[in-house]
Amino acid sequence: MARLPASPEKIIASYGPHLNYAPREGYPGRDEPDDSVKTHCCFCGMQCGIQLLVKNNKVVGFEPWMEFPFNQGRLCPKGVERYMQDNHPDRLMEPLQRVEGEGFKPIGWDAALDKVTSEIKRIQTAYGPNAFSILSGVSLTNEKSYLMGKFARVAVKTANLDYNGRLCMVSAGAGNKKAFGLDRTSNNYTDLEHAEVIIVTGANVSETFPTLTYWLWRARDNGAKLIVVDPRVIPLARTADIHLPVKPGTDSALYGAMLKYLADHDMLDHDFIDHHTTGFDATIAAVQDYTLEWAEAVTGIEKEKIQQAAELWGRAKTSFLLHARGIEHHSKGVENVLGCINLVLATGRIGRPYCGYGTITGQGNGQGGREHGHKCDQLPGNRDITNPADRQYIAGVWGIPEPELPGKGLTAWELIEAIHRGEVKGLLSICFNPLVSLPNNNYVREALEKLEFYVCIDFFLSETARHADIVLAGSLHEEEEGTVTTAEGRVVRIRRAVTPPGNARADTDIIQALAARLGAGDKFNFADSEAIFNELRIASKGGTADYYGITYKKIEDNMGIFWPCPSEDHPGTPRLWEDKKFATADGKAHFNPVQFREPSEVTDAEYPVVLTTGRVVSQYLSGTQTRRIGKLVDQIPEPLLEIHPELAQRYNIRQRETVRVTTRRGTADFPANIVETIRKDTVFIPYHWPGRKSANQLTIGTLDPVSKIPEFKVCACRLEPLGVFTKPGEIPAFGSI
Ligand SMILES: Nc1nc2c(c(=O)[nH]1)N[C@H]1C(S)=C(S)[C@@H](COP(=O)(O)OP(=O)(O)OC[C@H]3O[C@@H](n4cnc5c(=O)[nH]c(N)nc54)[C@H](O)[C@@H]3O)O[C@H]1N2
Ligand SMILES: Nc1nc2c(c(=O)[nH]1)N[C@H]1C(S)=C(S)[C@@H](COP(=O)(O)OP(=O)(O)OC[C@H]3O[C@@H](n4cnc5c(=O)[nH]c(N)nc54)[C@H](O)[C@@H]3O)O[C@H]1N2
Ligand code: SF4
Ligand SMILES: [Mo]
């Protein structure tokens, strides 16, 4: 049934007249769409509700979805432009084979799938089952994530499966599990509204989770005090009550000193600590020497500001602490996270209205995708692949003997190292562009070149896909039914708006076809996504991420259900821990002692400047999708080196001058953007670009020992102005690669 697009007033209402969106009378020059489909944005973890407009099986535009409770129609620039990728000329329409010396040639599906299957078998016969590895991603729905985990273990029978969340949420996940026994934001974001104090640390919310700022503004309107911790004066910091410009890699010193201050000034919730936690004494003992003066020397933040922040946090009745990758992308990412959690537990402000804590999940399905078993150490429901009972249960659901279930495999970065060592010879990747997104990408490229066989499933020919022997043309978010779990923990429905174009195929069809060829067809004969979800429900039953009680219908009727939801009559759990029964074995929340240690690489005479990396508002991750959308490229066409005027002066660097940045891993050139909004000892480069524009030519592959996340947020570099000036988007006529 054709539905009319929303009225011009609705468009104005959702973006605000100040943005100067011209109201459109229907669609001038365009026919009325056939349909509008309520689904979610394919990009970040906010998973904003959106309506896609469809004409002749093509997505031709969008309308706000005003009723969806989180974003209420609001969208950021990426959400507004996302529909542009559907009819993109670069869209892969058929499988491709790389022919040496000739490039990619189309190949039929049967031949492509046969080739993949025979190569998997050849490599596993020659080198053992784990010599074939799989990398997956969490832009994939819950159904696809679950399917990938089952595919690796049951059809390919390899232990070596990991996912791109390894670059993203794992430090938070590990910290949350240690402290709470469960890995989810404690409250939905509406609880921000009446928090008295909010700490946002290592999260550039206005650029990376723009629609979340609405809830922060609501809180501000209600009088909330805002503390922002970031080496840069990010947009959110400009309105904050206190901005703590932390030196990259020193957060745990800051949180430790704040904790000591709370203890010394009697701002602890003793009742909560005594009855609902363990480990407090050891945790306080660990920070006994962390005076404000010491913290100032380590973090570079004035001690008065640290004191003010501790006072505000300590005296509040309600509060929320949010963090993202700024504190997690470290070789002590888990310790940073635990440092934050210690502050929350010490004040007992969790499990109550307007009192919460959480990591802000990054990728579209960063939450659900880290629960259902495509991590190297995990089975569905956030079960542990090394736990005998968990293994027995999942083997039962999958109908295989428990000993056949592979054990724990290598993490994403460790897989790259194993390829270098010659232990891993084959790779299948889906929804992951490691050549751009992993650190030290010269090393990653060498690994890809060493593989005997590489197959990539994507809808665009990503930079990594160019190294593939076979590229399988997969599907976009809006081309299959499914579910994702938002950063709040709300499981929502993704709708199929159109079918894959040309000869492209749905991701789930491709995986099932491969499984059948590998002899596991009887375990991969799902009729549709709902059938996969129903098996996932059973597989997650009794796990900490329990989805058993969630059904497609229930999600649709309620615009989402918060897990855990253990039974069909359970309403879901927007706010965790109201009963103070934590998901740990002893039911208590656990303090964890944290002592400061340095980042893996500190500055010295040779590399005297701190380098940190991250994001800009109009580009997304490795950029495969957003670098193809004209308006987003126009907004930010290239990575710039953010540098403070004083540091620029020291090296005689002028605005837009090309600067050569060198680390122990490589060299890359970026135009300078001289700004006062960054620390004087630190430079920042966004990482969304490949090749010569890639920040990951410079970054370091040191991992957190627990979470195995790479240290994207801090390494040491040196700077050299090259006397060359380019126009935006232009590449200088020289470079490192
Ligand atoms: N526009 C856009 N939005 C996105 C994405 C995107 O690619 N583009 N990606 C999505 C994904 S997957 C993710 S993970 C999230 C990431 O979201 P964020 O974590 O918000 O993004 P980043 O820019 O990686 O890092 C955040 C901030 O950390 C700061 N920082 C650097 N080092 C330190 C440090 O040592 N301590 C502290 N406290 N802060 C530090 C940086 O200055 C930066 O402002 O964004 C999601 N949303
Ligand atoms: N220096 C530096 N590096 C970083 C970071 C940083 O802050 N600094 N951040 C890290 C973080 S937090 C993250 S999350 C990673 C992300 O890094 P990646 O996961 O490698 O980045 P994506 O761009 O999401 O790559 C996903 C690929 O999958 C494809 N894709 C998307 N959706 C689908 C789908 O539904 N089906 C199929 N078949 N393919 C799909 C896209 O076209 C793209 O080619 O980067 C990390 N790298
Ligand atoms: S905030 Fe995230 S989910 Fe919402 S429109 Fe922007 S990219 Fe999409
Ligand atoms: Mo991420």
Side-chain angles (χ1 to χ4, degrees):
M1 188 188 70
R3 264 163 278 164
L4 281 174
S7 66
E9 294 73 41
K10 261 195 166 182
I11 297 174
I12 290 284
S14 54
Y15 301 113
H18 58 286
L19 285 183
N20 202 18
Y21 270 76
R24 292 172 295 183
E25 284 299 335
Y27 286 81
R30 223 193 255 173
D31 292 339
E32 186 188 311
D34 301 333
D35 203 357
S36 72
V37 180
K38 289 193 174 76
T39 184
H40 295 267
C41 174
C42 59
F43 295 130
C44 86
M46 298 301 106
Q47 285 300 292
C48 297
I50 187 172
Q51 301 191 64
L52 295 180
L53 302 180
V54 178
K55 178 85 189 165
N56 297 334
N57 199 29
K58 286 183 190 312
V59 176
V60 294
F62 75 96
E63 288 292 340
W65 174 8
M66 306 304 285
E67 295 75 25
F68 186 69
F70 168 70
N71 64 310
Q72 302 169 2
R74 293 173 200 85
L75 295 166
C76 82
K78 294 182 300 303
V80 167
E81 302 297 338
R82 77 178 287 282
Y83 75 93
M84 301 289 292
Q85 56 182 333
D86 286 61
N87 306 307
H88 199 283
D90 290 354
R91 178 67 197 266
L92 296 176
M93 299 288 219
E94 54 201 333
L96 301 173
Q97 179 171 32
R98 186 150 56 92
V99 182
E100 268 332 301
E102 293 183 45
F104 284 104
K105 295 251 161 112
I107 173 177
W109 273 105
D110 279 337
L113 296 174
D114 284 347
K115 175 78 179 162
V116 174
T117 317
S118 65
E119 283 295 308
I120 293 175
K121 287 182 179 160
R122 181 187 67 75
I123 286 172
Q124 291 189 315
T125 307
Y127 307 107
N130 297 339
F132 197 88
S133 62
I134 296 179
L135 285 173
S136 184
V138 288
S139 294
L140 298 177
T141 55
N142 289 320
E143 290 75 1
K144 294 184 196 179
S145 304
Y146 173 79
L147 200 64
M148 286 310 297
K150 183 174 176 186
F151 173 73
R153 276 75 178 240
V154 176
V156 181
K157 301 186 167 77
T158 178
N160 282 330
L161 155 77
D162 206 38
Y163 80 135
N164 63 3
R166 186 68 58 191
L167 316 183
C168 188
M169 271 86 50
V170 285
S171 296
N176 275 258
K177 276 176 137 182
K178 269 177 186 278
F180 305 116
L182 182 149
D183 172 19
R184 204 205 91 183
T185 288
S186 66
N187 307 40
N188 64 334
Y189 292 143
T190 47
D191 259 355
L192 283 163
E193 206 172 340
H194 295 288
E196 273 179 37
V197 175
I198 301 171
I199 294 184
V200 175
T201 174
N204 183 7
V205 174
S206 326
E207 295 204 65
T208 51
F209 310 105
T211 50
L212 177 57
T213 48
Y214 169 76
W215 293 103
L216 294 169
W217 287 335
R218 297 270 306 220
R220 298 288 272 157
D221 287 346
N222 291 327
K225 301 285 185 205
L226 178 64
I227 302 168
V228 171
V229 188
D230 200 296
R232 301 184 300 148
V233 191
I234 48 172
L236 194 66
R238 290 172 208 162
T239 71
D241 297 278
I242 303 178
H243 171 229
L244 304 178
V246 67
K247 182 176 178 186
T250 65
D251 285 80
S252 55
L254 170 66
Y255 312 135
M258 285 175 69
L259 183 64
K260 175 177 161 56
Y261 187 91
L262 297 180
D264 289 352
H265 295 83
D266 200 19
M267 289 190 268
L268 302 172
D269 183 339
H270 290 288
D271 187 54
F272 180 84
I273 294 171
D274 292 347
H275 292 101
H276 305 298
T277 70
T278 65
F280 177 72
D281 292 342
T283 301
I284 281 293
V287 298
Q288 261 329 299
D289 301 332
Y290 290 12
T291 60
L292 295 177
E293 291 71 21
W294 172 84
E296 173 172 320
V298 175
T299 63
I301 308 167
E302 290 159 30
K303 62 176 190 300
E304 292 76 16
K305 280 193 174 176
I306 303 177
Q307 181 179 8
Q308 278 170 16
E311 285 280 339
L312 266 188
W313 182 259
R315 302 208 181 278
K317 300 263 177 315
T318 56
S319 62
F320 223 110
L321 191 152
L322 292 169
H323 58 75
R325 304 311 84 75
I327 71 158
E328 300 163 29
H329 279 159
H330 291 272
S331 57
K332 52 172 176 299
V334 178
E335 289 152 53
N336 287 341
V337 168
L338 291 171
C340 286
I341 294 175
N342 288 342
L343 288 176
V344 174
L345 296 180
T347 47
R349 289 197 297 260
I350 193 155
R352 286 193 270 135
Y354 318 122
C355 290
Y357 153 82
T359 184
I360 317 176
T361 293
Q363 297 159 76
N365 194 27
Q367 183 65 55
R370 70 182 192 250
E371 294 156 2
H372 297 302
H374 57 163
K375 293 168 75 166
C376 66
D377 52 356
Q378 185 205 52
L379 292 170
N382 219 340
R383 288 186 153 89
D384 180 352
I385 203 163
T386 62
N387 176 309
D390 286 347
R391 292 175 61 83
Q392 198 63 54
Y393 180 74
I394 295 297
V397 175
W398 289 345
I400 57 168
E402 183 274 327
E404 278 185 22
L405 196 58
K408 184 175 168 181
L410 297 173
T411 64
W413 181 253
E414 291 169 331
L415 269 177
I416 301 294
E417 293 176 331
I419 296 170
H420 268 274
R421 291 195 302 271
E423 288 163 24
V424 169
K425 302 281 191 185
L427 173 68
L428 178 150
S429 78
I430 179 168
C431 195
F432 199 162
N433 189 8
L435 188 54
V436 181
S437 54
L438 280 173
N440 194 358
N441 54 25
N442 294 318
Y443 183 76
V444 177
R445 183 180 303 100
E446 285 163 25
L448 292 173
E449 285 164 6
K450 281 193 174 173
L451 286 169
E452 288 186 11
F453 181 75
Y454 170 37
V455 50
C456 174
I457 308 175
D458 208 309
F459 40 75
F460 288 134
L461 195 66
S462 73
E463 290 72 22
T464 315
R466 283 163 206 255
H467 290 257
D469 299 283
I470 298 280
V471 182
L472 301 176
S475 54
L476 285 167
H477 209 242
E478 53 269 38
E479 292 169 357
E480 279 200 80
E481 297 287 344
T483 60
V484 301
T485 309
T486 74
E488 292 181 288
R490 190 196 310 251
V491 185
V492 296
R493 276 284 274 119
I494 301 305
R495 294 295 199 159
R496 177 169 53 217
V498 292
T499 51
N503 254 334
R505 280 174 75 169
D507 290 336
T508 54
D509 289 352
I510 299 173
I511 297 304
Q512 298 212 81
L514 281 173
R517 278 173 160 78
L518 289 164
D522 59 323
K523 307 214 172 343
F524 289 84
N525 51 7
F526 298 104
D528 53 24
S529 300
E530 190 168 7
I532 303 176
F533 188 75
N534 284 334
E535 189 178 290
L536 176 160
R537 291 173 52 207
I538 295 167
S540 76
K541 190 172 192 235
T544 51
D546 193 334
Y547 280 43
Y548 181 67
I550 305 177
T551 63
Y552 273 21
K553 177 160 188 331
K554 216 163 130 181
I555 299 172
E556 283 153 22
D557 290 348
N558 296 283
M559 282 195 265
I561 298 286
F562 289 82
W563 71 267
C565 181
S567 60
E568 283 194 38
D569 58 2
H570 190 287
T573 319
R575 190 184 296 125
L576 295 169
W577 323 131
E578 291 198 274
D579 55 2
K580 306 281 184 290
K581 298 222 171 5
F582 295 91
T584 49
D586 58 9
K588 307 245 170 141
H590 295 175
F591 279 96
N592 287 272
V594 176
Q595 280 195 315
F596 172 71
R597 58 191 174 90
E598 294 283 0
S600 65
E601 192 178 64
V602 290
T603 52
D604 55 20
E606 209 181 338
Y607 298 98
V609 177
V610 180
L611 168 65
T612 190
T613 62
R615 296 164 163 74
V616 291
V617 66
S618 73
Q619 292 298 322
Y620 190 66
L621 302 182
S622 71
T624 323
Q625 295 166 272
T626 46
R627 279 185 281 107
R628 287 186 157 83
I629 298 179
K631 284 188 177 153
L632 298 178
V633 175
D634 291 347
Q635 196 172 339
I636 301 176
E638 63 188 340
L640 301 176
L641 174 90
E642 275 183 31
I643 180 169
H644 191 275
E646 281 185 28
L647 188 58
Q649 203 175 21
R650 187 177 329 146
Y651 294 103
N652 217 356
I653 292 167
R654 288 160 294 165
Q655 178 65 4
R656 274 214 70 88
E657 181 170 5
T658 304
V659 178
R660 178 151 294 175
V661 187
T662 304
T663 66
R664 291 187 176 85
R665 273 73 50 201
T667 292
D669 303 333
F670 301 93
N673 187 23
I674 302 178
V675 291
E676 290 185 6
T677 48
I678 186 164
R679 283 178 60 91
K680 293 170 190 170
D681 54 6
T682 302
V683 292
F684 171 89
I685 309 172
Y687 86 100
H688 312 284
W689 288 266
R692 280 166 51 184
K693 292 185 173 186
S694 170
N696 278 328
Q697 295 172 93
L698 304 167
T699 47
I700 190 165
T702 317
L703 303 181
D704 178 292
V706 177
S707 71
K708 305 291 169 88
I709 206 167
E711 189 143 64
F712 289 120
K713 287 293 185 274
V714 53
C715 69
C717 72
R718 68 165 175 263
L719 307 173
E720 181 193 347
L722 296 180
V724 174
F725 294 80
T726 52
K727 297 201 182 72
E730 195 183 11
I731 302 182
F734 51 81
S736 55
I737 296 179

